[in-house]
Coordinates of all heavy atoms in Angstrom, one line a residue:
G216 N -6.7 -9.1 -9.0 CA -5.9 -9.5 -10.1 C -5.7 -11.1 -10.3 O -5.5 -11.5 -11.4
H217 N -5.9 -11.8 -9.1 CA -5.8 -13.3 -9.2 C -7.2 -13.9 -9.7 O -7.2 -14.9 -10.2 CB -5.5 -13.9 -7.9 CG -4.0 -13.6 -7.5 ND1 -3.0 -14.1 -8.3 CD2 -3.4 -13.0 -6.4 CE1 -1.8 -13.7 -7.7 NE2 -2.0 -13.1 -6.6
R218 N -8.3 -13.2 -9.4 CA -9.6 -13.8 -9.6 C -10.6 -13.1 -10.3 O -11.5 -13.7 -10.8 CB -10.2 -14.0 -8.1 CG -9.4 -14.9 -7.3 CD -10.3 -15.2 -6.1 NE -9.6 -15.6 -4.9 CZ -9.8 -15.4 -3.7 NH1 -10.8 -14.6 -3.4 NH2 -9.0 -15.7 -2.7
A219 N -10.5 -11.8 -10.4 CA -11.7 -11.0 -10.8 C -11.9 -11.0 -12.4 O -10.9 -11.1 -13.1 CB -11.6 -9.6 -10.3
S220 N -13.2 -10.6 -12.7 CA -13.4 -10.3 -14.1 C -13.0 -8.8 -14.3 O -12.8 -8.0 -13.4 CB -14.9 -10.4 -14.4 OG -15.7 -9.4 -13.7
L221 N -12.8 -8.4 -15.5 CA -12.6 -7.1 -15.9 C -13.5 -6.1 -15.3 O -13.1 -5.0 -14.7 CB -12.5 -7.0 -17.4 CG -11.8 -5.7 -18.0 CD1 -10.4 -5.6 -17.5 CD2 -11.9 -5.7 -19.5
E222 N -14.8 -6.4 -15.4 CA -15.9 -5.6 -14.9 C -15.7 -5.3 -13.4 O -15.8 -4.2 -12.9 CB -17.3 -6.0 -15.2 CG -17.7 -6.1 -16.7 CD -16.8 -7.0 -17.6 OE1 -16.3 -8.1 -17.0 OE2 -16.5 -6.7 -18.8
E223 N -15.5 -6.4 -12.6 CA -15.3 -6.3 -11.2 C -14.2 -5.4 -10.9 O -14.2 -4.7 -9.9 CB -15.1 -7.8 -10.6 CG -16.4 -8.5 -10.6 CD -16.0 -10.0 -10.2 OE1 -15.0 -10.6 -10.7 OE2 -16.8 -10.7 -9.5
A224 N -13.1 -5.6 -11.6 CA -11.8 -4.9 -11.3 C -12.1 -3.4 -11.6 O -11.6 -2.5 -10.9 CB -10.7 -5.4 -12.2
V225 N -12.8 -3.0 -12.6 CA -13.1 -1.6 -13.0 C -13.9 -1.0 -11.8 O -13.7 0.1 -11.4 CB -13.9 -1.6 -14.4 CG1 -14.5 -0.2 -14.6 CG2 -12.9 -1.9 -15.5
I226 N -14.9 -1.8 -11.4 CA -15.8 -1.2 -10.2 C -14.9 -0.9 -9.0 O -15.0 0.2 -8.4 CB -16.9 -2.2 -10.0 CG1 -17.9 -2.3 -11.1 CG2 -17.6 -1.8 -8.6 CD1 -18.9 -3.3 -11.0
A227 N -14.0 -1.9 -8.7 CA -13.2 -1.6 -7.5 C -12.2 -0.4 -7.7 O -12.0 0.4 -6.8 CB -12.3 -3.0 -7.3
L228 N -11.7 -0.3 -8.9 CA -10.8 0.9 -9.2 C -11.6 2.1 -9.1 O -11.0 3.2 -8.6 CB -10.1 0.7 -10.5 CG -9.0 -0.3 -10.6 CD1 -8.6 -0.6 -12.0 CD2 -7.8 0.1 -9.7
E229 N -12.8 2.2 -9.6 CA -13.5 3.4 -9.5 C -13.9 3.8 -8.0 O -13.9 4.9 -7.6 CB -14.8 3.3 -10.5 CG -14.3 3.3 -11.9 CD -15.5 3.2 -12.9 OE1 -16.6 2.9 -12.5 OE2 -15.1 3.3 -14.2
Q230 N -14.1 2.7 -7.2 CA -14.4 2.9 -5.8 C -13.1 3.5 -5.2 O -13.2 4.4 -4.4 CB -14.8 1.7 -5.1 CG -16.3 1.3 -5.6 CD -16.7 -0.2 -5.1 OE1 -15.9 -0.9 -4.6 NE2 -18.0 -0.4 -5.1
L231 N -12.0 2.9 -5.5 CA -10.7 3.4 -5.0 C -10.5 4.9 -5.3 O -10.0 5.6 -4.5 CB -9.5 2.5 -5.6 CG -8.2 2.9 -5.2 CD1 -7.9 2.8 -3.7 CD2 -7.1 2.0 -5.9
D232 N -10.9 5.2 -6.5 CA -10.7 6.7 -6.9 C -11.5 7.6 -6.1 O -11.2 8.6 -5.7 CB -11.1 6.7 -8.4 CG -10.6 8.1 -9.0 OD1 -9.4 8.2 -9.1 OD2 -11.4 9.0 -9.4
A233 N -12.8 7.1 -5.6 CA -13.7 7.9 -4.8 C -13.0 8.0 -3.3 O -13.1 9.1 -2.8 CB -15.0 7.2 -4.7
V234 N -12.4 7.0 -3.0 CA -11.7 7.0 -1.6 C -10.5 8.0 -1.7 O -10.4 8.9 -0.8 CB -11.1 5.6 -1.3 CG1 -10.3 5.8 0.0 CG2 -12.3 4.7 -1.0
L235 N -9.8 8.0 -2.8 CA -8.8 8.9 -3.1 C -9.2 10.3 -3.1 O -8.6 11.3 -2.6 CB -8.0 8.7 -4.4 CG -6.9 7.6 -4.4 CD1 -6.3 7.5 -5.8 CD2 -5.8 8.0 -3.5
G236 N -10.5 10.6 -3.6 CA -11.1 11.9 -3.7 C -11.3 12.4 -2.3 O -10.9 13.6 -1.9
G237 N -11.8 11.5 -1.4 CA -12.1 12.0 0.0 C -10.8 12.3 0.7 O -10.6 13.2 1.5
L238 N -9.8 11.5 0.5 CA -8.5 11.5 1.1 C -7.8 12.8 0.7 O -7.3 13.6 1.5 CB -7.6 10.4 0.7 CG -6.2 10.3 1.1 CD1 -6.0 10.4 2.6 CD2 -5.5 9.0 0.6
L239 N -7.8 13.2 -0.6 CA -7.0 14.3 -1.1 C -7.7 15.6 -0.7 O -7.1 16.6 -0.5 CB -6.8 14.1 -2.7 CG -5.9 13.1 -3.0 CD1 -5.9 12.9 -4.6 CD2 -4.5 13.5 -2.6
D240 N -9.1 15.6 -0.7 CA -9.8 16.8 -0.2 C -9.4 17.2 1.1 O -9.4 18.3 1.5 CB -11.3 16.7 -0.4 CG -11.8 16.8 -1.9 OD1 -10.9 17.1 -2.7 OD2 -12.9 16.6 -2.1
A241 N -9.1 16.1 2.0 CA -8.9 16.4 3.4 C -7.4 16.4 3.7 O -6.9 16.6 4.8 CB -9.5 15.2 4.2
W242 N -6.6 16.3 2.6 CA -5.1 16.2 2.7 C -4.5 17.7 2.8 O -4.9 18.5 2.0 CB -4.5 15.5 1.6 CG -3.1 15.0 1.9 CD1 -1.9 15.4 1.3 CD2 -2.7 13.9 2.9 NE1 -0.9 14.8 1.9 CE2 -1.3 13.9 2.8 CE3 -3.4 13.2 3.7 CZ2 -0.6 13.0 3.7 CZ3 -2.8 12.3 4.5 CH2 -1.3 12.2 4.5
D243 N -3.6 17.8 3.8 CA -2.9 19.1 3.9 C -1.6 19.0 3.2 O -0.5 18.7 3.8 CB -2.8 19.5 5.4 CG -2.1 20.8 5.6 OD1 -1.6 21.5 4.6 OD2 -2.1 21.3 6.7
D244 N -1.6 19.5 1.9 CA -0.3 19.3 1.1 C 0.8 20.2 1.7 O 1.9 19.9 1.4 CB -0.6 19.9 -0.3 CG -1.4 18.9 -1.1 OD1 -2.1 18.0 -0.5 OD2 -1.5 19.0 -2.3
T245 N 0.4 21.3 2.4 CA 1.6 22.2 2.8 C 2.3 21.5 4.0 O 3.3 21.9 4.4 CB 1.0 23.5 3.4 OG1 0.1 23.2 4.5 CG2 0.2 24.2 2.2
R246 N 1.7 20.5 4.7 CA 2.3 19.9 5.9 C 2.7 18.5 5.7 O 3.7 18.1 6.2 CB 1.2 20.0 6.9 CG 1.7 20.1 8.4 CD 0.5 20.0 9.3 NE 0.1 18.6 9.4 CZ 0.3 17.8 10.5 NH1 0.8 18.4 11.5 NH2 -0.1 16.6 10.6
D247 N 1.9 17.7 5.0 CA 2.0 16.2 5.0 C 2.4 15.6 3.7 O 2.3 16.3 2.6 CB 0.7 15.7 5.5 CG 0.3 16.2 6.9 OD1 1.2 16.5 7.6 OD2 -0.9 16.3 7.2
L248 N 2.8 14.4 3.6 CA 3.2 13.7 2.5 C 2.4 12.4 2.4 O 2.4 11.6 3.3 CB 4.7 13.4 2.5 CG 5.3 12.6 1.3 CD1 5.1 13.2 0.0 CD2 6.7 12.2 1.6
L249 N 1.7 12.2 1.2 CA 1.0 11.0 0.9 C 1.9 10.2 -0.1 O 2.3 10.8 -1.1 CB -0.3 11.3 0.4 CG -1.0 10.0 -0.3 CD1 -1.4 9.0 0.7 CD2 -2.3 10.6 -1.0
V250 N 2.1 9.0 0.2 CA 2.9 8.1 -0.8 C 2.0 6.9 -1.1 O 1.5 6.2 -0.2 CB 4.2 7.5 -0.1 CG1 4.9 6.7 -1.2 CG2 5.0 8.7 0.3
V251 N 1.6 6.8 -2.5 CA 0.9 5.6 -2.8 C 1.8 4.8 -3.6 O 2.4 5.2 -4.6 CB -0.3 6.1 -3.7 CG1 -1.1 4.9 -4.2 CG2 -1.1 7.2 -3.1
T252 N 1.9 3.5 -3.4 CA 2.7 2.6 -4.1 C 2.2 1.2 -4.0 O 1.2 0.9 -3.4 CB 4.2 2.7 -3.7 OG1 5.1 2.1 -4.7 CG2 4.4 2.0 -2.3
S253 N 2.9 0.2 -4.7 CA 2.5 -1.2 -4.8 C 3.9 -2.0 -4.7 O 4.9 -1.5 -4.8 CB 1.7 -1.4 -6.0 OG 1.3 -2.7 -6.1
D254 N 3.6 -3.3 -4.6 CA 4.7 -4.2 -4.4 C 5.0 -5.0 -5.7 O 6.2 -5.4 -5.9 CB 4.5 -5.3 -3.3 CG 3.1 -6.0 -3.4 OD1 2.3 -5.6 -4.2 OD2 2.9 -6.9 -2.5
H255 N 4.1 -5.2 -6.6 CA 4.3 -5.8 -7.9 C 3.1 -5.7 -8.7 O 2.0 -5.4 -8.2 CB 4.6 -7.4 -7.6 CG 3.5 -8.1 -6.8 ND1 2.2 -8.3 -7.3 CD2 3.5 -8.4 -5.5 CE1 1.5 -8.9 -6.5 NE2 2.2 -9.0 -5.3
G256 N 3.2 -6.0 -10.0 CA 2.1 -5.9 -10.9 C 1.2 -7.2 -10.8 O 1.7 -8.2 -10.3
N257 N -0.1 -7.0 -11.2 CA -1.0 -8.1 -11.2 C -2.3 -7.7 -11.8 O -2.7 -8.1 -12.9 CB -1.2 -8.6 -9.8 CG -2.2 -9.8 -9.8 OD1 -2.7 -10.3 -10.8 ND2 -2.4 -10.5 -8.6
L258 N -3.0 -6.7 -11.1 CA -4.4 -6.2 -11.6 C -4.3 -5.7 -13.0 O -5.3 -5.7 -13.7 CB -4.8 -5.2 -10.6 CG -6.2 -4.6 -10.7 CD1 -7.3 -5.7 -10.7 CD2 -6.5 -3.5 -9.9
E259 N -3.1 -5.2 -13.4 CA -3.2 -4.4 -14.7 C -3.2 -5.4 -15.9 O -3.1 -4.9 -17.1 CB -1.9 -3.4 -14.7 CG -0.6 -4.1 -15.1 CD 0.0 -4.9 -13.9 OE1 -0.6 -5.0 -12.8 OE2 1.1 -5.4 -14.0
D260 N -3.1 -6.7 -15.7 CA -3.1 -7.6 -16.8 C -4.0 -8.8 -16.5 O -3.5 -9.7 -15.9 CB -1.7 -8.0 -17.2 CG -1.7 -9.0 -18.4 OD1 -2.8 -9.3 -18.9 OD2 -0.6 -9.3 -18.9
L261 N -5.2 -8.7 -16.8 CA -6.2 -9.7 -16.5 C -6.3 -10.8 -17.5 O -7.2 -11.7 -17.5 CB -7.6 -9.1 -16.2 CG -7.7 -8.3 -14.9 CD1 -9.1 -7.7 -14.7 CD2 -7.2 -9.1 -13.6
S262 N -5.3 -10.8 -18.5 CA -5.3 -11.9 -19.5 C -4.8 -13.2 -18.8 O -4.8 -14.3 -19.4 CB -4.5 -11.5 -20.7 OG -3.0 -11.4 -20.3
H263 N -4.2 -13.1 -17.7 CA -3.7 -14.2 -16.9 C -3.9 -14.0 -15.4 O -4.2 -12.8 -15.0 CB -2.3 -14.7 -17.2 CG -1.3 -13.5 -16.9 ND1 -0.8 -13.3 -15.6 CD2 -0.7 -12.7 -17.7 CE1 0.0 -12.3 -15.6 NE2 0.2 -11.9 -16.9
R264 N -3.6 -15.0 -14.6 CA -3.9 -14.9 -13.1 C -2.7 -14.7 -12.3 O -2.7 -14.9 -11.1 CB -4.7 -16.1 -12.6 CG -6.0 -16.2 -13.4 CD -6.9 -15.0 -13.0 NE -8.2 -15.0 -13.5 CZ -9.0 -13.9 -13.6 NH1 -8.5 -12.7 -13.2 NH2 -10.2 -14.1 -14.0
H265 N -1.6 -14.4 -13.0 CA -0.3 -14.3 -12.2 C 0.2 -12.8 -12.0 O -0.3 -11.9 -12.6 CB 0.9 -15.1 -13.0 CG 0.5 -16.4 -13.4 ND1 0.3 -17.5 -12.5 CD2 0.2 -16.9 -14.6 CE1 -0.1 -18.5 -13.1 NE2 -0.2 -18.2 -14.4
H266 N 1.1 -12.7 -11.1 CA 1.8 -11.4 -11.0 C 2.5 -11.1 -12.3 O 2.8 -12.0 -13.1 CB 2.8 -11.5 -9.9 CG 2.2 -11.6 -8.5 ND1 2.9 -11.8 -7.4 CD2 0.9 -11.7 -8.1 CE1 2.0 -11.9 -6.3 NE2 0.8 -11.9 -6.8
T267 N 2.9 -9.9 -12.5 CA 3.6 -9.4 -13.7 C 4.9 -9.0 -13.5 O 5.3 -8.7 -12.2 CB 2.8 -8.3 -14.4 OG1 2.9 -7.2 -13.7 CG2 1.3 -8.7 -14.6
L268 N 5.7 -8.7 -14.5 CA 7.0 -8.2 -14.4 C 7.0 -6.6 -14.5 O 8.0 -5.9 -14.5 CB 8.0 -8.7 -15.4 CG 8.1 -10.2 -15.4 CD1 9.0 -10.7 -16.5 CD2 8.5 -10.9 -14.0
N269 N 5.8 -6.0 -14.6 CA 5.7 -4.6 -14.9 C 6.2 -3.7 -13.7 O 6.2 -4.2 -12.5 CB 4.2 -4.2 -15.0 CG 3.7 -4.7 -16.4 OD1 4.5 -4.7 -17.4 ND2 2.4 -5.1 -16.5

Side-chain angles (χ1 to χ4, degrees):
H217 288 298
R218 295 194 203 140
S220 67
L221 194 60
E222 289 68 28
E223 289 168 320
V225 165
I226 291 169
L228 286 170
E229 291 178 352
Q230 290 175 340
L231 174 64
D232 198 66
V234 173
L235 274 179
L238 171 60
L239 289 171
D240 282 354
W242 197 250
D243 183 352
D244 289 18
T245 61
R246 206 188 79 110
D247 301 331
L248 174 65
L249 167 67
V250 180
V251 183
T252 194
S253 182
D254 49 356
H255 55 73
N257 182 357
L258 182 65
E259 79 285 4
D260 186 354
L261 293 178
S262 68
H263 61 76
R264 295 302 182 195
H265 310 291
H266 296 173
T267 70
L268 305 181
N269 286 326

